[in-house]
Amino acid sequence: MAPRLVIIVSDGPLLVGKPEQLAGRSAIHIPVATPSMPLAAIASTIATGVNPTVHGIVTAATVDAETKEVRNTVASDRKFQAFWTKSGLNIALINWPATEGDSDVSNVNCDAAFEKAKEFQCSDIVGIVLPINIQDKSTPEKVRLQQEELEEYLSSLTSETHVLLVYRRTDEEGNILKAINTLVTTLLVEGSDYESSSATFIEVIGGAIYLLAGIPCPVGVKLPKWPFMERFSQNETRSFPINPSKDEADWFQICKDVIASENKQGIAVLTQRFVTLMSVSFRKQKWKELAFSSECLIQLRGKPLEYWQQILALHQLGNQEALSNAIEKLEEQFPKKFITSIARSLLLYEAKTDEALELLKDIDPTKLAVFHALGTLGRMCLRVGLEEKGVEAIELAIKKRTAISVDRAQFANYFAKRNEFEKALKTLGQVGIGDEISWQELRLRILVALQLTDQAKQVAGNIIKIKPTHAEAIKVLG
């Protein structure tokens, strides 16, 4: 007897490059798109299928809301069900974070994880987290030894056992890749073959676990669209998550109390928590969460990036009063930085265009230290007539992967007005597919101009659901 599924998660490398086979089985490798996260956040995101702003687990240790002391995370800290919740399956975990107190699963902490895993051959699912020692620098030789140890364990499984790995990518020599997407998932699924250079969101791996384990997947978890997973698809109506909860902790007050007590360990844990949540919130464009995480970080350390992220979030939320206050605080702390001039322009570009132009005209986008402000710089420049600078700034934002949807939409509109529709569509990316209605309308206009009829009909169908009398959409749909 062998497990139906084995999951192995690490924030270090496990394999040299992308081997075609692993333990004699065909291997499927898919890059993973995620901001940098601690291992506890990676493992919990994979276990739940939702991001850390939803499930709440960021670090292996947390600051207790009552005592304000640092403690290990426990199951009650997790605010969204894991794949094992009420599954009725025998789940054995090794080194998995935030599981203490969870009656649906057993977890053991063990250095010799693969040897320990061999004791769980009768379990339905085995999950292993492999922490790396940050003092132990990775070398190609160490990666090769790690792969040998991994393959030796995988060889003890049958071909019917599905295997899902998540780990740091390496090149063909075993050196850690300094790539945009640093993680990769490798799957061993009998009778399956697939090759993709397109990255998948890390939350989708959680959906894959539900499918491979044969566990009903709740609403809110994205399922993978990889062709080889079609045979595992679940046709029944998806249920709502089991007892999801909101984080009731007053983290802003916790930060204040920990700072006041000069608890250095607590400050470090909180800083890592909110750096991660700020990064995830920005990537997911969750503006309320970004504003809050940034505010906590301003308390904890007050770097220019945090001040900017709060301003960006408040501007996207349309909270003018809070935005003005945040800009005032930025001016007090960093009066001469480029981001301060960009922030001031947010209050001026509509009513006092000339003053906004004066603030922006001498900013060199290539010298802007806070990359997350490039898109806003570009949009403001396009609005006040600094078109060349605006184009340069948004192109840089796209290159550095800090462009948000509104940056892409305004840039695409810039090209569309010049009848450069191919550039406009490329700039849009995924923007205008089922989101802000004005962006959907822009996408429709571009697709019609390019005579991409099938895509145009799909967008028009989405628009009609929101605006049943939309003339252009009706015309496209015939």
Side-chain angles (χ1 to χ4, degrees), residues 9-11 30-46 50-53 55 57-58 166-169 179-185 198-205 275-284 400-401:
V9 182
S10 178
D11 52 354
I30 303 171
V32 176
T34 178
S36 178
M37 294 196 295
L39 182 56
I42 294 171
S44 298
T45 299
I46 289 166
V50 295
N51 70 66
T53 67
H55 64 65
I57 304 298
V58 179
V166 177
Y167 56 95
R168 287 285 296 276
R169 298 168 68 188
I180 292 170
N181 297 314
T182 59
L183 297 182
V184 64
T185 183
S198 298
T200 189
F201 290 117
I202 190 168
E203 299 93 326
V204 173
I205 298 171
V275 165
T276 302
L277 291 177
M278 182 177 73
S279 181
V280 172
S281 299
F282 176 79
R283 183 72 71 92
K284 299 295 180 184
K400 293 184 179 294
R401 301 176 74 87

Side-chain angles (χ1 to χ4, degrees), residues 186-471:
T186 294
L187 298 103
L188 310 182
V189 179
E190 192 65 17
S192 299
D193 193 19
Y194 181 64
E195 187 173 338
S196 175
S197 59
S198 298
T200 189
F201 290 117
I202 190 168
E203 299 93 326
V204 173
I205 298 171
I209 288 173
Y210 275 100
L211 296 182
L212 293 172
I215 299 171
C217 184
V219 171
V221 176
K222 290 184 178 179
L223 295 173
K225 295 181 180 179
W226 310 320
F228 68 93
M229 293 292 288
E230 288 179 3
R231 60 191 167 111
F232 300 103
S233 62
Q234 300 173 355
N235 296 321
E236 64 267 22
T237 302
R238 294 169 68 179
S239 60
F240 287 101
I242 300 169
N243 298 325
S245 59
K246 289 186 177 181
D247 192 343
E248 301 295 340
D250 186 347
W251 287 104
F252 191 75
Q253 186 61 47
I254 292 170
C255 289
K256 289 177 71 173
D257 292 343
V258 170
I259 291 166
S261 69
E262 299 182 354
N263 181 341
K264 290 184 178 179
Q265 186 186 14
I267 291 171
V269 168
L270 289 170
T271 299
Q272 189 173 30
R273 175 182 182 83
F274 289 108
V275 165
T276 302
L277 291 177
M278 182 177 73
S279 181
V280 172
S281 299
F282 176 79
R283 183 72 71 92
K284 299 295 180 184
Q285 300 186 48
K286 300 181 75 169
W287 304 122
K288 286 184 180 179
E289 291 83 352
L290 180 60
F292 181 74
S293 297
S294 304
E295 188 175 12
C296 290
L297 281 171
I298 288 170
Q299 275 200 97
L300 290 162
R301 63 181 193 180
K303 290 189 175 183
L305 173 62
E306 284 113 44
Y307 280 91
W308 173 258
Q309 292 290 61
Q310 184 184 41
I311 286 166
L312 174 67
L314 292 171
H315 186 246
Q316 292 304 302
L317 289 168
N319 190 335
Q320 201 68 15
E321 184 179 350
L323 175 64
S324 297
N325 292 334
I327 292 173
E328 190 176 318
K329 290 177 183 176
L330 175 64
E331 289 174 328
E332 290 172 2
Q333 293 296 320
F334 305 104
K336 295 183 179 181
K337 287 196 175 290
F338 285 156
I339 55 169
T340 306
S341 295
I342 299 168
R344 286 176 188 150
S345 77
L346 293 172
L347 302 176
L348 297 171
Y349 74 92
E350 290 180 315
K352 298 180 180 179
T353 303
D354 291 344
E355 290 184 35
L357 188 147
E358 282 298 314
L359 286 169
L360 301 171
K361 66 177 182 150
D362 294 326
I363 297 177
D364 182 349
T366 65
K367 300 286 173 49
L368 190 58
V370 178
F371 299 149
H372 298 72
L374 281 165
T376 303
L377 171 62
R379 283 186 284 115
M380 293 302 101
C381 286
L382 290 177
R383 285 184 180 275
V384 301
L386 297 170
E387 292 188 359
E388 187 176 335
K389 192 188 296 289
V391 168
E392 181 184 11
I394 298 182
E395 284 179 345
L396 262 176
I398 292 171
K399 183 178 179 181
K400 293 184 179 294
R401 301 176 74 87
T402 59
I404 60 176
S405 294
V406 68
D407 300 333
R408 287 182 172 273
Q410 187 169 328
F411 201 26
N413 190 48
Y414 169 83
F415 287 126
K417 285 180 177 179
R418 286 154 183 76
N419 294 325
E420 298 180 60
F421 294 109
E422 289 186 359
K423 278 187 179 180
L425 185 59
K426 183 178 179 182
T427 297
L428 266 185
Q430 297 299 306
V431 176
I433 302 176
D435 45 26
E436 171 71 40
I437 183 64
S438 63
W439 301 344
Q440 293 187 53
E441 290 170 337
L442 172 60
R443 189 177 197 90
L444 179 62
R445 180 156 57 92
I446 293 167
L447 292 171
V448 168
L450 292 171
Q451 298 182 345
L452 296 172
T453 306
D454 290 343
Q455 292 181 49
K457 285 183 176 180
Q458 188 173 3
V459 175
N462 292 334
I463 292 173
I464 285 292
K465 293 174 185 176
I466 302 167
K467 291 185 174 181
T469 59
H470 194 283

